[in-house]
Amino acid sequence: MKRLYCLSLFFTLLLTTACTSLDNVSVESLLYAKETGEESFASTQEAYLLYPDDERVLYNYAYMLLYYGRYDDAVRICDEALSASPRSLRFLYLKAEALKDEGRHQSFISTLEYILSFDAANTDVMLELAGYYDTFFKKDEAVRYASEVLEFEPENKEAMMILAHYDEYFASIAGEEKEEKPADGKYGKRRIPELDMAQAADLFSAYYSKEEILI
């Protein structure tokens, strides 16, 4: 009887392992970039319907929704992932980008401040906030976050460039570098036309290589 139970348990474990392996292959095959952006998007949507709890699926789907300008949906998918892993940096970064692109500025700021609440030395987030406030001429906040960056990274040039807008000392340090900076800047960002889906698909296909899965 004991031997029969052990055999039964063995076959159960074997079947479970086989199913898990098949699931992994299926998820990866669905996330694997296809010939066009539209095909990749459709395949990722299918993966989400089949495996809505898989973090790889959620991240790929949220990323593609963001790329195609579907910001509300990208935020929703990020929130689904964050309900299970509230401190997942990659989903928080993705959510913040979607909120920023949608123009939901207060939610964007709140998301980045939440990251700093448990990752107080995250200079990437500090720089993002400093740059954001600098763009909108909010001196106190821009100076505050740029100064905090320098506390952790005393030679951070991006923070110095922001402070140079408000402080003569940093302006004198950054002067030569500012003159040598290319006219189009280092911080330019490609924007996707929200209503031109065909163009967005072409750009996506060029960016999202056939060999890459965003896991």
Side-chain angles (χ1 to χ4, degrees):
M1 185 71 176
K2 184 176 180 181
R3 183 182 179 187
L4 191 61
Y5 171 77
C6 290
L7 284 173
S8 174
L9 181 61
F10 171 76
F11 284 118
T12 300
L13 289 172
L14 185 64
L15 181 61
T16 302
T17 302
C19 289
T20 300
S21 177
L22 287 173
D23 282 349
N24 287 336
V25 170
S26 181
V27 168
E28 291 179 359
S29 65
L30 287 170
L31 295 182
Y32 193 83
K34 307 302 185 289
E35 290 294 326
T36 67
E38 292 96 332
E39 290 175 330
S40 294
F41 187 73
S43 184
T44 305
Q45 278 186 313
E46 183 181 352
Y48 173 69
L49 292 173
L50 293 172
Y51 308 104
D53 298 321
D54 190 301
E55 280 199 5
R56 294 170 300 171
V57 172
L58 291 171
Y59 185 78
N60 278 267
Y61 191 32
Y63 177 89
M64 295 182 74
L65 287 167
L66 170 62
Y67 196 91
Y68 279 100
R70 293 174 55 179
Y71 304 125
D72 274 343
D73 289 331
V75 170
R76 175 176 57 81
I77 298 301
C78 286
D79 282 338
E80 288 181 17
L82 290 166
S83 66
S85 304
R87 295 187 174 185
S88 171
L89 285 178
R90 64 176 183 165
F91 282 105
L92 286 168
Y93 287 148
L94 206 58
K95 177 180 178 179
E97 184 63 27
L99 290 168
K100 182 180 180 182
D101 287 350
E102 191 179 13
R104 295 168 61 183
H105 299 288
Q106 190 54 54
S107 295
F108 160 74
I109 292 169
S110 297
T111 300
L112 294 185
E113 288 178 342
Y114 170 67
I115 294 174
L116 290 177
S117 73
F118 65 83
D119 188 8
N122 193 320
T123 54
D124 290 332
V125 170
M126 293 175 198
L127 275 174
E128 181 71 20
L129 284 166
Y132 170 84
Y133 283 122
D134 183 45
T135 299
F136 290 96
F137 305 103
K138 295 190 174 182
K139 174 184 175 180
D140 292 343
E141 292 87 348
V143 169
R144 170 193 163 195
Y145 283 110
S147 299
E148 287 182 8
V149 170
L150 293 181
E151 290 180 14
F152 294 98
E153 300 175 9
E155 297 183 4
N156 189 293
K157 293 182 179 178
E158 292 180 51
M160 289 183 185
M161 290 295 292
I162 292 172
L163 288 170
H165 297 159
Y166 309 100
D167 186 286
E168 291 183 5
Y169 170 73
F170 286 104
S172 66
I173 294 176
E176 293 182 5
E177 292 182 12
K178 189 174 183 181
E179 290 175 5
E180 295 173 359
K181 187 177 177 182
D184 59 350
K186 145 183 199 187
Y187 310 108
K189 180 178 178 182
R190 179 177 61 190
R191 293 289 178 180
I192 306 301
E194 292 184 33
L195 301 180
D196 190 346
M197 298 303 287
Q199 186 178 356
D202 292 340
L203 288 171
F204 180 83
S205 297
Y207 178 81
Y208 192 88
S209 70
K210 296 177 185 178
E211 291 75 32
E212 184 176 6
I213 299 175
L214 296 173
I215 58 175

